Amino acid sequence: MGNTKVHADQKYIEALLQNDTVMLTEIYKKYAPKVIGYIKNNNGDESLAKDIIQETLITIYKQAKEKRLQLTCPFDAYFFLLCKRKWLNELKRTTEKEVTINEEIVSISDESAMHIEETLLFEAKDELFAEMFEQLGLSCKELLKATFTIKSLEEVAVKLGQSYGYVRKKKSLCIGQLTKLIQNAPRYNLIKKML
C-alpha cells in the first residue's frame, strides 16, 4: 500500500484484535443493520445475515492478526462489500438457479476494492489450508499444531516425547505432504490466478 495513509476507521480493526467489546458493539450497531437489510432483500433472513457478519468479522480478524491489515478506506464500504460477496458466494453455493440480486448503488474506491480482493484471497488461502490440513494423519496434525505454537523444535520434541531428529524429519515430511495436498486441490490453481 506504499505511502497510502491509514484510515481513521483502522480503530475498528484494532478493536477486533483487542476484543474491545465497546467498539465491537459499535460495529454491530453501525454496520450490521445495512448488511442484514441487504441479505433480507436478497433471499436471506436475519439469522443467515448474522452468520455472514460473524464469518466476515472472523476473516477480518484473522487477516489483521496474520497480515497486519492496514485499512486505507472507510470500514463501512470494506465490511459491507465483504459481507455482500460472502452472501453472493453462499447463494451460488446453495441454489441451483441463477442468482439475481437487487443491487443498490455502493460507492467503492480503488482502495476499498484492493482491500476486499486482498481479504478474499487471504480467506481462500486460509480455507484451502484448513481443509487440506484436516486431511493429514493425526500424528502430522499434532506435530504441525505444536510447531505453530512452539517455535523451538527441541521443545516440540520434548512435548511430544520424541527425539529432535525424528521431529525435524517428520515435520519436513508432514509439510511436504500438506504442500502436495494443497497443490493438488482443484481450488489451488484458481487461487494462484488471483495472485
Side-chain angles (χ1 to χ4, degrees):
M1 279 172 251
N3 299 331
T4 310
K5 187 177 175 191
V6 175
H7 196 280
D9 285 353
Q10 179 70 22
K11 66 184 179 185
Y12 296 118
I13 305 300
E14 298 305 321
L16 283 168
L17 287 170
Q18 296 166 11
N19 197 20
D20 179 337
T21 53
V22 172
M23 288 296 281
L24 293 174
T25 301
E26 184 179 325
I27 289 172
Y28 276 96
K29 282 182 182 174
K30 281 177 94 170
Y31 306 116
K34 182 176 178 179
V35 173
I36 291 169
Y38 177 81
I39 290 174
K40 284 170 74 172
N41 286 333
N42 291 288
N43 304 317
D45 61 33
E46 188 165 341
S47 173
L48 291 169
K50 287 180 178 177
D51 289 346
I52 293 291
I53 290 167
Q54 191 66 31
E55 288 171 20
T56 301
L57 289 173
I58 290 169
T59 298
I60 294 170
Y61 168 81
K62 284 180 175 179
Q63 186 183 19
K65 187 174 182 193
E66 294 177 27
K67 301 286 186 182
R68 293 181 178 83
L69 172 66
Q70 296 289 303
L71 200 61
T72 57
C73 64
F75 184 80
D76 181 32
Y78 173 64
F79 178 68
F80 178 75
L81 290 169
L82 275 176
C83 288
K84 179 180 167 184
R85 289 250 181 115
K86 271 190 180 294
W87 180 243
L88 291 174
N89 289 338
E90 182 65 19
L91 283 177
K92 287 177 190 172
R93 191 177 66 75
T94 59
T95 59
E96 295 293 320
K97 56 187 174 183
E98 192 172 315
V99 176
T100 52
I101 298 297
N102 303 325
E103 232 10 279
E104 63 183 74
I105 297 173
V106 177
S107 162
I108 181 165
S109 68
D110 289 341
E111 289 174 5
S112 296
M114 180 185 65
H115 279 306
I116 289 163
E117 292 306 315
E118 285 175 2
T119 301
L120 292 173
L121 177 61
F122 172 82
E123 182 180 39
K125 288 164 57 175
D126 192 53
E127 285 174 0
L128 180 60
F129 175 85
E131 189 178 310
M132 296 302 112
F133 185 84
E134 285 306 311
Q135 292 184 22
L136 290 173
L138 189 59
S139 65
C140 271
K141 285 196 275 193
E142 183 182 7
L143 173 65
L144 291 178
K145 282 180 185 176
T147 63
F148 295 157
T149 55
I150 303 169
K151 296 301 174 201
S152 162
L153 276 184
E154 288 91 354
E155 290 177 44
V156 171
V158 170
K159 180 181 179 196
L160 298 177
Q162 301 289 340
S163 72
Y164 170 77
Y166 172 82
V167 168
R168 195 178 84 194
K169 182 168 177 69
K170 181 73 172 172
K171 178 185 178 191
S172 178
L173 292 171
C174 292
I175 288 174
Q177 185 181 0
L178 180 59
T179 301
K180 191 173 183 178
L181 283 169
I182 289 170
Q183 289 175 344
N184 289 334
R187 285 184 295 161
Y188 177 74
N189 286 328
L190 294 173
I191 292 170
K192 266 181 71 175
K193 288 177 186 173
M194 293 171 68
L195 294 173

